[in-house]
Amino acid sequence: MSPTATAAPERPTPDTDPRPVTLSGRDAYRDELTRLAASDDTIVCLEADLGGKGHPFQAAHPERFFNLGIAEGAMVDMAAGLAAGGHKPFVSTFAPFAALRAAESLKLTLGYLAAGVTVVAPYAGVSGAWFGTTHHCLEDLAILRSVPGVTVAAPYGDAEMRAVVREAVRSGRPHYIRTGRNARYESLPVSGIELPLVNWEFMAADPDAVCLVSVGEEGTRLALAARRAAPGTSHAHLTYLDHENLTPAAAELARHHCRFVVVEEHRGQGGVAEALALLLPECRVTSVSADRSWPSQGGDHEEVMAALGLDLPAVLDAVDRAAG
């Protein structure tokens, strides 16, 4: 199958670049893909005018880098053809333009054709805060989780992103990888060489304790902060969010706890909390997610999240309610 932040954690696999610098999710993706492409000439990189002049893949492998401009659907269609020709295409554009503007192409390419295309979608959630509602994406998990056969991942931190990219290259399966803008996080430590279905950052001895379930970068940041404020809670982190992976993950969660607070930078409708509630009908699942309003004012990432009801006080309130 296809990590708090004090000492540098062990990397998920021995071949990870051991550099001391922690990169943002999107930069870790670019760096890892560039590294892997040095020994795999079937890897190609397509971008929708995001790379700028300093894209590492373009610098290292210019003959396998394609800037398609703002033609997201055509980019995914082109990737489908490249996959049919034996290549391993990775395409990247802002999450709202990947999951929403190119939704039909994603459904057909990743779902119906089961093409080995990986979509890496930065600016998920409201990480493009100042850019406004057109650049926010709080609906992508609902869309991509509904397409059968797509592996959906929301890695937290540099090492986790690298591990997910390596798994996408290795498996050849259709992937949708969700990440933020520029935030840099140290991944949670893992045991072994693979990312677990459930990464237990902390497991309380009491099975009646509330368990925080973190999804993605900001959900995990908030869950870590909440556990520091409420140390009796457990914390389970999920990277893979598609139905195929979430089903056994839910079973593992239920073996240890029955009260869950899911923290995710997504709308509640179609999110992971809703999916877990269906998979765990005997358990109590509480959602901390974006509400049903639209952000009407600018602000930085955390300010826009708070305006949507997604901040530390909301998480702690949900923990209190779940424990009651």
Side-chain angles (χ1 to χ4, degrees):
M1 298 249 100
S2 63
T4 220
T6 52
E10 178 184 353
R11 295 300 191 184
T13 64
D15 65 342
T16 302
D17 185 351
R19 75 176 70 203
V21 177
T22 298
L23 300 178
S24 67
R26 63 175 179 163
D27 286 335
Y29 149 66
R30 292 170 174 174
D31 187 78
E32 189 67 14
L33 191 70
T34 302
R35 190 180 72 84
L36 294 169
S39 57
D40 186 344
D41 60 10
T42 67
I43 294 174
V44 294
C45 180
L46 294 78
E47 295 235 355
D49 209 19
L50 304 187
K53 295 181 179 181
H55 199 295
F57 197 103
Q58 182 179 21
H61 314 290
E63 74 286 358
R64 287 184 274 153
F65 178 86
F66 302 93
N67 186 340
L68 278 296
I70 52 173
E72 292 83 359
M75 179 174 67
V76 175
D77 296 343
M78 178 176 169
L82 286 165
H87 293 87
K88 299 172 185 175
F90 281 69
V91 307
S92 183
T93 185
F94 289 7
F97 309 142
L100 299 171
R101 183 180 294 172
E104 182 183 20
S105 290
L106 287 187
K107 182 186 76 170
L108 297 176
T109 295
L110 303 185
Y112 179 67
L113 295 176
V117 174
T118 296
V119 177
V120 180
Y123 283 69
V126 292
S127 58
W130 285 107
F131 293 93
T133 299
T134 58
H135 282 58
H136 298 164
C137 191
L138 294 164
E139 306 83 15
D140 56 331
L141 296 181
I143 294 169
L144 272 300
R145 288 194 72 261
S146 69
V147 180
V150 181
T151 299
V152 179
Y156 173 75
D158 181 310
E160 202 165 289
M161 172 60 84
R162 292 177 186 273
V164 170
V165 171
R166 290 195 299 272
E167 175 61 19
V169 170
R170 186 203 64 78
S171 71
R173 289 172 53 89
H175 275 65
Y176 177 83
I177 305 174
R178 175 189 225 248
T179 190
R181 187 186 177 199
N182 294 324
R184 300 182 179 190
Y185 296 112
E186 288 283 353
S187 298
L188 298 174
V190 298
S191 298
I193 63 172
E194 296 182 339
L195 293 178
L197 279 174
V198 181
N199 190 350
W200 291 95
E201 186 265 329
F202 177 76
M203 187 188 297
D206 182 1
D208 289 328
V210 174
C211 179
L212 290 156
V213 179
S214 65
V215 174
E217 292 182 350
E218 299 308 306
T220 306
R221 175 184 65 81
L222 286 171
L224 289 168
R227 203 181 73 72
R228 289 193 295 269
T233 57
S234 290
H235 173 209
H237 169 62
L238 305 179
T239 301
Y240 289 100
L241 310 174
D242 51 276
H243 185 75
E244 182 180 351
N245 283 295
L246 202 59
T247 299
E252 180 176 340
L253 290 170
R255 285 196 292 269
H256 301 282
H257 292 286
C258 61
R259 304 180 189 198
F260 300 99
V261 172
V262 182
V263 191
E264 55 185 323
E265 189 183 3
H266 191 273
R267 298 204 185 279
Q269 294 71 30
V272 173
E274 189 172 81
L276 285 175
L278 291 171
L279 290 167
L280 300 171
E282 304 302 318
C283 297
R284 181 173 181 177
V285 180
T286 303
S287 172
V288 182
S289 56
D291 65 20
R292 292 179 58 81
S293 66
W294 297 100
S296 59
Q297 296 180 340
D300 66 22
H301 190 178
E302 291 187 25
E303 289 171 335
V304 175
M305 286 174 61
L308 290 167
L310 187 54
D311 56 11
L312 181 57
V315 178
L316 294 175
D317 178 66
V319 169
D320 287 342
R321 287 187 283 110

